[in-house]
Amino acid sequence: MTKVWSIPGGVHPEENKSQSLQLPLGEIPLPNELIFPLSQHIGVPAKPVVAVGDRVLAGQKIAEAKGMISAPVHASTSGTVTAIEDRTLPHPSGLSGPCIVIAADGKDEFADFDACENYLSLDKDTLVQKIRNAGIAGMGGAGFPTAVKLSPRANQPIDTLIINGTECEPYITADDILMQTQAEDIIKGTQLLAHLLGSPARVVIGIEDNKPQAIAAVTKAAEGTVVEVVSFPTKYPSGGEKQLIQILTGKEVPSGGLPADIGIVLQNVGTAVAAYEAVRFGKPLIERITTVVGEALQTQRNIRVRLGTPIHHVLAEHGLVEKKAMRLIVGGPMMGYALEQDDVPVVKTTNCILAPTKKELPPPSPAQACIRCGMCAEACPASLLPQQMYWYAAAEEYDRLEAQNIKDCIECGACSFVCPSNIPLVQYYRAAKGTMRQMAIDKEKSDRSRQRFEFRQERIAKA
């Protein structure tokens, strides 16, 4: 029996999960046009392998991985490539980026998939390559390429595999409905991942106790296997990678480190299913379950939606009343981001589309001066000092921010949630971290330029 540990901080926002669970998992008609950003994952954007005018089939690779930390992109229906151009990306910045645009032909013809019934007889490198070729990236977080996580270094023996079914963000129930409807596939995917990691001693699926139907379904599917299903008290953000590891193992991931450094790999339940479907049926990642919710919609539910589907098409199929919608949010109210326009597509990491009314999600009050109450520090699940980081971020004192371990901030929004002064703390941290990343890139370029100059001077001196 796994002991459940507590985590520091955390908050209890209103869950709002029942709205999207009143109806069964649904589907919507295919749109006329689909948009596929080349960057739907952490790492280097994919490289197109099709040209304008090409006809493609559902499941056909249209962009290949470029480098180790990258993931290919596949067409989600049949049609013709009409453009490879910059389109608005589903990203907090609202910036544009390279996308492949496909006009659907309505036939929805599929490419041939390489199914394998006895997939566990294949060697591990082949299995990992199948997962990589299927374009699978983390479906519950930032979209880290799954094949990379499944290839830990030789000096990182893995003794624990954790499958994340927590889904702690308000409104979102995509993983919940997946666990209720595909529990057996989740167990098969979990067993596959455990096999690839060398059969770790512990294999655990963690689920918050506010999902009784999901817990029952997954527990039943896990009977007779080494997979243990553990439920624990609901608290946001228990679903964070480091937080869930601490809850289920009592271990803390070192600052700046990775779970693999302490012998742990964590994957989302959706990722486990996608990996299983990739090796068993040869199916690439071309669809996902997404929660469509908010009182500005006439229909609220979870749907299985093809990647590349424009969000405005999803909203139209759910009866969006535009005059009632205060804003559109991708993700939940805590960690999601507002959309400037609704022509961006559903991508691998789109777990929720939220269309709240003004009454449902009021606009934030104007920020006031910090009163040094310390509530943000009490709420921080990473045991950081949000108040101190806010001052340094506002003053652009990046060296001091780094000393405060700002890189360990998971941007969960708990500090902003409890702040009585309504200071948008997370926005300051995100901006500061973006600036710091750019400064590091610029410094690396500068160092390389200096080294080239010094080598050139040495060659001239020797000549």
Side-chain angles (χ1 to χ4, degrees):
M1 184 71 180
T2 294
K3 177 181 177 180
V4 173
W5 305 72
S6 61
I7 58 171
V11 294
H12 293 87
E14 191 173 351
E15 293 180 9
N16 286 315
K17 289 182 179 283
S18 61
Q19 296 96 311
S20 56
L21 292 174
Q22 302 302 312
L23 297 173
L25 180 64
E27 295 188 8
I28 61 174
L30 288 169
N32 294 324
E33 181 182 81
L34 297 99
I35 306 163
F36 300 89
L38 297 180
S39 181
Q40 301 186 32
H41 51 270
I42 285 180
V44 182
K47 180 182 177 182
V49 292
V50 292
V52 174
D54 288 354
R55 184 173 187 270
V56 296
L57 302 175
Q60 179 180 330
K61 185 184 293 186
I62 56 176
E64 62 184 4
K66 190 177 179 182
M68 181 62 181
I69 302 181
S70 184
V73 179
H74 300 77
S76 58
T77 190
S78 57
T80 303
V81 178
T82 57
I84 301 176
E85 62 187 16
D86 284 359
R87 293 283 186 100
T88 306
L89 299 175
H91 187 271
S93 67
L95 296 176
S96 298
C99 300
I100 297 174
V101 183
I102 294 177
D105 59 15
K107 298 178 182 179
D108 201 26
E109 296 177 343
F110 278 73
D112 292 331
F113 293 163
D114 183 20
C116 180
E117 187 171 351
N118 192 20
Y119 54 88
L120 291 180
S121 65
L122 301 176
D123 64 82
K124 293 180 182 178
D125 289 343
T126 301
L127 290 172
V128 171
Q129 191 60 38
K130 281 179 174 286
I131 291 171
R132 178 176 170 81
N133 289 340
I136 298 169
M139 297 172 68
F144 194 86
T146 302
V148 180
K149 269 192 177 183
L150 296 175
S151 305
R153 295 193 295 268
N155 63 348
Q156 293 176 325
I158 303 302
D159 58 41
T160 303
L161 169 64
I162 296 175
I163 303 299
N164 189 348
T166 308
E167 198 168 53
C168 58
E169 178 93 13
Y171 284 99
I172 308 176
T173 57
D175 287 347
D176 191 348
I177 202 75
L178 174 69
M179 290 186 283
Q180 292 183 38
T181 57
Q182 290 183 255
E184 291 187 2
D185 289 346
I186 290 172
I187 298 302
K188 290 176 181 177
T190 300
Q191 292 173 314
L192 168 66
L193 300 182
H195 172 71
L196 292 173
L197 293 168
S199 300
R202 297 182 62 208
V203 182
V204 185
I205 299 178
I207 311 173
E208 278 189 333
D209 61 7
N210 62 350
K211 304 174 182 62
Q213 291 177 285
I215 293 170
V218 177
T219 300
K220 182 179 180 181
E223 290 178 356
T225 73
V226 299
V227 181
E228 181 183 4
V229 181
V230 179
S231 65
F232 48 88
T234 299
K235 181 168 73 168
Y236 179 85
S238 296
E241 183 176 65
K242 295 181 179 180
Q243 285 66 42
L244 185 56
I245 287 172
Q246 189 170 354
I247 289 170
L248 296 179
T249 68
K251 298 179 181 179
E252 291 189 41
V253 179
S255 176
L258 297 171
D261 296 335
I262 56 173
I264 298 172
V265 166
L266 187 143
Q267 296 281 9
N268 174 263
V269 287
T271 309
V273 171
Y276 164 69
E277 292 179 341
V279 300
R280 172 63 184 88
F281 304 108
K283 177 184 175 183
L285 185 54
I286 59 173
E287 63 182 12
R288 66 158 296 139
I289 295 176
T290 297
T291 302
V292 186
V293 68
E295 292 181 2
L297 299 169
Q298 295 176 0
T299 303
Q300 302 182 62
R301 59 175 178 168
N302 286 285
I303 59 169
R304 194 180 300 278
V305 59
R306 301 285 180 95
L307 303 186
T309 301
I311 285 178
H312 64 74
H313 178 76
V314 176
L315 296 172
E317 292 294 326
H318 289 81
L320 174 68
V321 182
E322 292 190 18
K323 63 181 181 181
K324 291 176 64 177
M326 189 199 73
R327 49 184 159 166
L328 297 176
I329 297 172
V330 171
M334 300 294 286
M335 294 186 72
Y337 56 90
L339 288 176
E340 292 294 326
Q341 51 197 66
D342 61 6
D343 60 350
V344 301
V346 172
V347 294
K348 298 175 183 181
T349 55
T350 308
N351 56 2
C352 180
I353 302 170
L354 174 58
T357 61
K358 187 174 183 178
K359 180 181 178 181
E360 185 180 13
L361 205 63
S365 302
Q368 306 293 323
C370 173
I371 60 174
R372 298 172 173 81
C373 65
M375 291 178 66
C376 54
E378 292 179 12
C380 180
S383 299
L384 300 175
L385 297 174
Q387 174 186 315
Q388 202 75 31
M389 295 196 306
Y390 160 62
W391 289 333
Y392 292 148
E396 299 183 357
E397 297 183 22
Y398 300 118
D399 290 342
R400 292 188 173 185
L401 264 178
E402 192 163 2
Q404 290 289 329
N405 296 318
I406 191 173
K407 292 180 181 178
D408 291 335
C409 169
I410 62 172
E411 301 177 19
C412 66
C415 54
S416 301
F417 180 77
V418 300
C419 180
S421 296
N422 301 306
I423 301 172
L425 296 166
V426 173
Q427 293 185 27
Y428 281 94
Y429 309 150
R430 283 176 177 166
K433 288 201 283 187
T435 301
M436 292 167 72
R437 280 193 294 269
Q438 189 58 50
M439 289 171 62
I441 293 171
D442 293 343
K443 183 178 183 301
E444 184 179 352
K445 290 180 178 178
S446 176
D447 290 344
R448 286 202 299 264
S449 296
R450 188 186 67 253
Q451 288 175 357
R452 287 197 298 269
F453 175 77
E454 290 173 351
F455 291 154
R456 181 174 182 275
Q457 292 299 98
E458 287 179 14
R459 290 197 304 271
I460 292 173
K462 290 178 181 178

